[in-house]
Amino acid sequence: RGVRMNAQEILIVVQQAVHTVLEVPAETVTRETRFIDDLKADSLALVEIVEIVEETLAPRAKPGFHIADEDLDGLTTVGAAVDYALARM
């Protein structure tokens, strides 16, 4: 646990989660991609993406790692989500 991941590794996890939930090619998702405006993700899709990211990162994160529901509104871009997760690893 607590194995350090870098932003690029977390970006790949988020790209894969977006691909799984929204069927968007992972390589088209960048740090600047906006979940709602660009990907047309609704709140249910965002929750699914968060669950996948949490599950994937949890084994390498600090115990109790999770993305708080009340923080989701502030995570408008993929980059914001990556930075948020990185800060809590």
Side-chain angles (χ1 to χ4, degrees):
R1 276 184 119 35
V3 176
R4 196 82 179 123
M5 290 183 75
N6 65 36
Q8 185 59 34
E9 291 171 314
I10 295 172
L11 174 61
I12 292 167
V13 170
V14 176
Q15 287 171 323
Q16 290 300 320
V18 167
H19 170 71
T20 299
V21 174
L22 299 174
E23 299 179 353
V24 174
E27 62 277 2
T28 66
V29 177
T30 67
R31 288 183 58 88
E32 291 73 36
T33 302
R34 295 170 297 186
F35 289 107
I36 296 169
D37 296 342
D38 299 330
L39 298 173
K40 308 295 182 230
D42 59 17
S43 56
L44 181 61
L46 288 174
V47 168
E48 288 180 42
I49 291 167
V50 165
E51 287 174 354
I52 292 169
V53 170
E54 285 176 338
E55 275 180 35
T56 307
L57 296 181
R60 295 182 65 181
K62 295 175 190 160
F65 169 80
H66 87 282
I67 299 166
D69 293 342
E70 60 270 15
D71 293 339
L72 284 181
D73 289 343
L75 303 178
T76 56
T77 66
V78 170
V82 167
D83 294 341
Y84 178 95
L86 184 62
R88 283 154 183 78
M89 292 295 287

